[in-house]
């Protein structure tokens, strides 16, 4: 059981760190480009004021830069929202593991314990296409969602 907990925690942390790193890198790139666009806009404005750039050309250029900046700002907002959700998920995994630790020596499965662990169970319609009746079900856990057991490797009965 403890190996399973360590496995879940390590796997979750590695995946989250990879994703967070990519998101933070993209956010830094976006913020840098937004700063560059501010500088560019200021320069074309000054060029327009001193007559180096026609009003018509200034309007076309500034519209393009403003559109790009708006698109980048929207993406930056989405990334920041995603980063906040990732932080919340990390806290949720800690809550789930706290519940797991609470019941390490479980001798009886009660409805109360099930409610603490499981959010919902989805039972799909049976499939009879193979000649046998197969029915898929999903267990959605509290705090962590669905746990993909296909990614757990068992060795001598223990998750590794």
């Amino acid at each position: 059981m403890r190996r399973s907990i360590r496995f879940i925690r390590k796997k979750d942390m590695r995946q989250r760190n990879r994703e967070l790193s990519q998101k933070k890198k993209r956010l830094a790139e976006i913020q840098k480009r937004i700063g560059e666009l501010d500088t560019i806009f200021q320069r074309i404005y000054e060029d327009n004021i001193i007559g180096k750039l026609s009003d018509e050309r200034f309007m076309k250029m500034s519209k393009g830069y403003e559109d790009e900046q708006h698109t980048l700002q929207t993406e930056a907002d989405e990334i920041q929202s995603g980063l906040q959700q990732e932080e919340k998920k990390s806290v949720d995994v800690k809550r789930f593991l706290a519940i797991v630790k609470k019941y390490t020596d479980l001798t009886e499965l009660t409805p109360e314990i099930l409610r603490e662990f499981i959010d919902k169970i989805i039972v799909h319609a049976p499939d009879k296409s193979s000649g046998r009746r197969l029915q898929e079900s999903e267990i959605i856990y509290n705090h962590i969602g669905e746990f993909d057991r296909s990614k757990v490797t068992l060795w001598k009965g223990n998750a590794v």
Side-chain angles (χ1 to χ4, degrees):
M1 183 68 152
R2 290 178 192 221
R3 282 187 180 183
S4 297
I5 293 170
R6 275 187 264 140
F7 172 78
I8 292 169
R9 182 177 277 165
K10 283 182 184 179
K11 179 181 171 285
D12 181 65
M13 291 301 291
R14 273 184 269 148
Q15 181 66 29
R16 286 187 200 283
N17 287 341
R18 229 179 281 123
E19 291 171 5
L20 289 175
S21 176
Q22 290 172 349
K23 286 180 181 181
K24 287 178 182 179
K25 182 179 177 183
R26 178 64 183 148
L27 185 59
E29 291 170 354
I30 289 171
Q31 290 170 338
K32 180 181 176 187
R33 180 62 181 161
I34 289 173
E36 291 170 353
L37 290 171
D38 284 338
T39 303
I40 291 170
F41 188 77
Q42 184 178 1
R43 286 183 185 156
I44 65 168
Y45 176 76
E46 290 170 356
D47 287 349
N48 178 255
I49 294 295
I50 62 174
K52 287 183 177 180
L53 195 62
S54 70
D55 288 343
E56 185 179 315
R57 187 70 180 143
F58 170 76
M59 294 302 287
K60 285 182 182 178
M61 292 177 76
S62 65
K63 174 78 171 117
Y65 289 134
E66 285 176 357
D67 289 347
E68 181 184 357
Q69 194 169 35
H70 177 72
T71 302
L72 290 172
Q73 189 60 54
T74 301
E75 186 180 351
D77 292 343
E78 289 172 3
I79 290 173
Q80 285 177 331
S81 174
L83 289 172
Q84 289 172 348
Q85 288 176 349
E86 287 298 320
E87 286 179 19
K88 184 182 181 301
K89 283 182 185 177
S90 179
V91 171
D92 288 347
V93 169
K94 289 178 185 173
R95 287 184 188 154
F96 180 78
L97 292 175
I99 293 169
V100 170
K101 286 180 183 176
K102 181 177 171 182
Y103 296 111
T104 53
D105 297 323
L106 189 64
T107 57
E108 181 183 355
L109 189 59
T110 65
E112 293 79 24
I113 294 171
L114 278 176
R115 280 187 217 102
E116 269 193 275
F117 276 106
I118 298 174
D119 180 35
K120 62 184 166 184
I121 299 173
I122 301 169
V123 179
H124 297 277
D127 177 20
K128 300 175 188 171
S129 63
S130 66
R132 295 176 57 199
R133 184 177 191 264
L134 300 174
Q135 195 162 10
E136 185 179 334
S137 63
E138 298 174 55
I139 299 174
I140 311 299
Y141 295 93
N142 286 323
H143 309 297
I144 64 167
E146 187 175 4
F147 178 67
D148 187 359
R149 295 183 56 162
S150 67
K151 295 181 180 174
V152 176
T153 305
L154 293 177
W155 186 71
K156 292 188 177 180
N158 293 317
V160 291

